[in-house]
Amino acid sequence: NAGVTQTPKFRVLKTGQSMTLLCAQDMNHEYMYWYRQDPGMGLRLIHYSVGEGTTAKGEVPDGYNVSRLKKQNFLLGLESAAPSQTSVYFCASNKTPGYGQFFGPGTRLTVL
Amino acid sequence: AQSVAQPEDQVNVAEGNPLTVKCTYSVSGNPYLFWYVQYPNRGLQFLLKYITGDNLVKGSYGFEAEFNKSQTSFHLKKPSALVSDSALYFCAVRPSYNTDKLIFGTGTRLQVFP
């Protein structure tokens, strides 16, 4: 099992550009999450999904959109990137919220 | 407001000594509590969790955590620290049974010196 994978690992964008981060899991998990990690702020939840075709807002959803068209994939989109979105983005999944979450290796995004 | 606090940004301990990384929470109801570890340039790894039952829970790599309801704490402990334990540790809480999300603390950097 590959677990949770994220594509790409690194990306540099210019302000106003758009991009999509892909998260894939092969554990048949229902729940998937997107977090951003910033120094001194821990992990903050951007959006999450409780199953295929569902999405919900987390703590910091503004400027991001998500889609869960297939159970194994959870996409995070930035329509118009801003420097404040420079961060490390982590995807996670789990079977149910009572279980520990499995994290991907992260995507380091820099917006110039 | 529901929150998790990790009062120490960094904890320094000598190899072989016991270590404690502190976590306190503020949520209503009966929370689910978790500890995660993050090594440099890696994603978080699940260490252990408390849902119900025995207040002392054991997890991966020899770590354990003690749930204290009266003090609303869930401190991470290890009897004998290793240099390889040096990493960033996050406490997280699922506030109640009908919540899908976790609230993470800001993290504590553990540095174990040889």
Side-chain angles (χ1 to χ4, degrees):
Chain A
N1 285 354
V4 179
T5 58
Q6 292 182 232
T7 308
K9 289 184 169 53
F10 304 94
R11 186 74 185 268
V12 178
L13 291 178
K14 294 181 179 178
T15 297
Q17 287 184 318
S18 63
M19 77 163 294
T20 299
L21 281 67
L22 170 64
C23 175
Q25 53 93 6
D26 61 1
M27 297 172 283
N28 201 35
H29 285 168
E30 291 293 336
Y31 291 75
M32 296 187 75
Y33 310 83
W34 275 108
Y35 295 93
R36 59 178 289 173
Q37 184 179 25
D38 301 291
M41 303 192 74
L43 270 75
R44 293 182 291 170
L45 182 65
I46 305 171
H47 286 281
Y48 66 103
S49 168
V50 302
E52 181 179 320
T54 76
T55 62
K57 293 181 179 180
E59 183 184 353
V60 289
D62 293 343
Y64 305 95
N65 57 75
V66 288
S67 64
R68 184 102 180 265
L69 299 180
K70 294 182 179 181
K71 186 177 184 179
Q72 63 267 34
N73 295 338
F74 195 30
L75 278 63
L76 177 71
L78 286 72
E79 291 185 349
S80 180
S84 60
Q85 294 177 304
T86 293
S87 187
V88 181
Y89 291 85
F90 287 101
C91 176
S93 72
N94 61 2
K95 187 176 179 180
T96 71
Y99 288 78
Q101 293 181 10
F102 289 81
F103 281 79
T107 295
R108 187 173 295 275
L109 175 66
T110 301
V111 183
L112 302 175
Chain B
Q2 299 175 114
S3 63
V4 176
Q6 293 183 243
E8 301 155 317
D9 290 336
Q10 180 153 332
V11 170
N12 298 318
V13 64
E15 188 174 32
N17 283 1
L19 69 88
T20 299
V21 182
K22 296 180 181 177
C23 172
T24 59
Y25 62 92
S26 175
V27 300
S28 56
N30 296 315
Y32 292 18
L33 295 154
F34 300 82
W35 274 103
Y36 289 83
V37 60
Q38 185 181 29
Y39 298 101
N41 300 313
R42 302 285 294 276
L44 278 68
Q45 296 178 32
F46 169 74
L47 273 180
L48 51 79
K49 69 177 179 181
Y50 172 84
I51 296 178
T52 186
D54 196 348
N55 289 344
L56 185 66
V57 292
K58 296 187 183 297
S60 307
Y61 311 121
F63 283 93
E64 57 190 27
E66 186 169 13
F67 171 64
N68 188 317
K69 188 172 184 177
S70 63
Q71 296 185 3
T72 61
S73 67
F74 189 56
H75 300 333
L76 181 70
K77 300 180 179 183
K78 188 174 182 181
S80 179
L82 299 172
V83 173
S84 57
D85 292 330
S86 299
L88 190 56
Y89 290 81
F90 289 96
C91 180
V93 61
R94 181 190 178 201
S96 64
Y97 177 77
N98 59 351
T99 301
D100 300 319
K101 300 173 284 187
L102 289 181
I103 302 171
F104 281 85
T106 52
T108 297
R109 186 165 300 281
L110 173 67
Q111 190 72 47
V112 181
F113 294 95

